Amino acid sequence: MKTVIIGGGLIGLSVARALAERGTSDVLVLERHQLAGGGTGKSSGIVRTHYGVPSIAAMAWRSLPVFEQLGAEVGFRQTGYCVLVGEENVEPLKANTAMHQGLGVDVDLIDPDQLQSLWPMMNVDDVALASYEPRGGFADATQLALHFGQRARQHGARIRQRAPVARIRTSGDRVTGVELDGGEVVEADLVICATGWWTRSLAETLGIDLPMEAYRSELLVVDAGEPLPDLPVVSDLVSLQYCRVEGAGQFLVGNSDHSDFQKKLVDPDDYSNVAGEASILAYAEKVMHRFPGFPDPSVTHSYAGVYDVLPDWNPVIAPVDGLEGLILCAGFAGHGFKISPAVGDLVADLVLEGDSTDPAIPASDFRLERFAEGRPLVSSHPYVGAGQMR
Ligand SMILES: Cc1cc2nc3c(=O)[nH]c(=O)nc-3n(C[C@H](O)[C@H](O)[C@H](O)COP(=O)(O)OP(=O)(O)OC[C@H]3O[C@@H](n4cnc5c(N)ncnc54)[C@H](O)[C@@H]3O)c2cc1C
């Protein structure tokens, strides 16, 4: 079976790896620029299991051993990971943590004093409860993507860069291949579209309505003023920020306040790659509130990336009703890195077995039709003020 994967980011390359490793002989990845040059290259690389949707948490948990086995090869630093909540979110945190423990995840609730001992420079005055995953941390998304690419090649897959796909070709109700810019036609029995935020326009040419938005997200790098040890990654659902150590004395800070979502929609091919002054001030204030113990903090630089966001902030990983030979695999928003190993495995299951082989990861969760049917994939225990944490 000839398989074309469009997109050489983490997801396309993980899918190529999984298919090639499981014996699919004719796999070709077509990447319009260079590998990992899309959302993957901007990823904060945080590894954790904390999700409100059980199948996503299960995917994160199934993926964790990959980071642990690859270790330094993908820059994995197992610093631990914690979620902090205020009083209003104590019940959802308890419910989500219990759900994670039911999946077998190594996680515990900790009180503010325990949190303070893990994170001595942190102000915990407004923290009511936290959960702590000792096996979480962060890694390098580009390195992981390149690792998947290398494994795919070792198992016979081919990868072409600077090969932009202009359109997906069809005959009747089935896909027959793709056409590149310049007119070259590549025939295929199966086309897997792993094109991040560009998936919307490729799908549109097939008459498929993919309700995806391109949402700009800004990040700051803060110098703490002294070398930092490997402190746990923090998802701060009180101040709505996430933070992790960067390098030795630096600190990467991202925004988790998505209340002005509509104002941050951008053209993913043309957006500002630096944070605006107002954002820098607002984020710096949140950092100073949470980490008053930094001896001499300063913002060293900022940048921005774009999330591919579907209405429930969860991906579509599925064939499309009425069109044979196509699988869409996009809409990972800010979460595709940590689950990318399991996503590749799920797509390989869909292709080779016709369904997920993991009961904790039902393929039906990721159907496109869920939006039209009004059945979004959402958490049973959403966080007040931080619904996108899922
Ligand atoms: C700022 C930021 C921070 C993030 N932080 C985290 C995090 O901490 N943890 C986490 O788990 N996730 C995080 N993510 C999310 C994660 O990085 C992404 O979900 C993941 O990298 C997406 O991979 P992808 O392969 O779907 O998309 P991409 O990496 O965007 O890859 C898609 C590829 O398709 C190619 N392409 C597009 N159109 C065509 C075409 N027509 N022909 C050929 N090729 C084409 C593009 O060039 C691109 O290389 C973050 C994302 C961003 C933006």
Side-chain angles (χ1 to χ4, degrees), residues 6-12 30-34 37-40 42-46 163-165 194-198 202 217 219 242 305-308 332-338:
I6 316 173
L10 261 171
I11 299 299
L30 297 171
E31 163 54 48
R32 69 173 187 166
H33 295 315
Q34 72 280 356
T40 295
K42 295 288 182 78
S43 184
S44 304
I46 291 169
V165 170
T195 39
W197 55 72
W198 297 280
L202 272 177
S217 174
L219 292 109
Y242 70 85
V306 176
Y307 294 164
D308 50 342
F332 291 88
H335 306 280
F337 167 68
K338 64 183 74 62

Side-chain angles (χ1 to χ4, degrees), residues 5-14 29-48 51 67 137-139 141-142 145 160 162-167 179-181 193-199 201-202 215-219 233 242 244 252 254 269 271 303-308 329-340:
I5 298 169
I6 316 173
L10 261 171
I11 299 299
L13 293 171
S14 180
V29 178
L30 297 171
E31 163 54 48
R32 69 173 187 166
H33 295 315
Q34 72 280 356
L35 301 184
T40 295
K42 295 288 182 78
S43 184
S44 304
I46 291 169
V47 175
R48 50 130 162 147
Y51 281 94
F67 294 99
F138 62 92
T142 299
R160 280 177 61 184
R162 290 167 295 284
V165 170
R167 66 185 185 95
E179 183 178 322
L180 272 59
D181 281 4
C193 202
T195 39
W197 55 72
W198 297 280
T199 309
S201 46
L202 272 177
Y215 174 66
R216 180 172 168 274
S217 174
E218 298 170 324
L219 292 109
V233 176
Y242 70 85
R244 67 161 173 81
L252 182 68
D269 286 311
Y271 65 91
Y303 61 95
V306 176
Y307 294 164
D308 50 342
C329 201
F332 291 88
H335 306 280
F337 167 68
K338 64 183 74 62
I339 60 173
S340 59

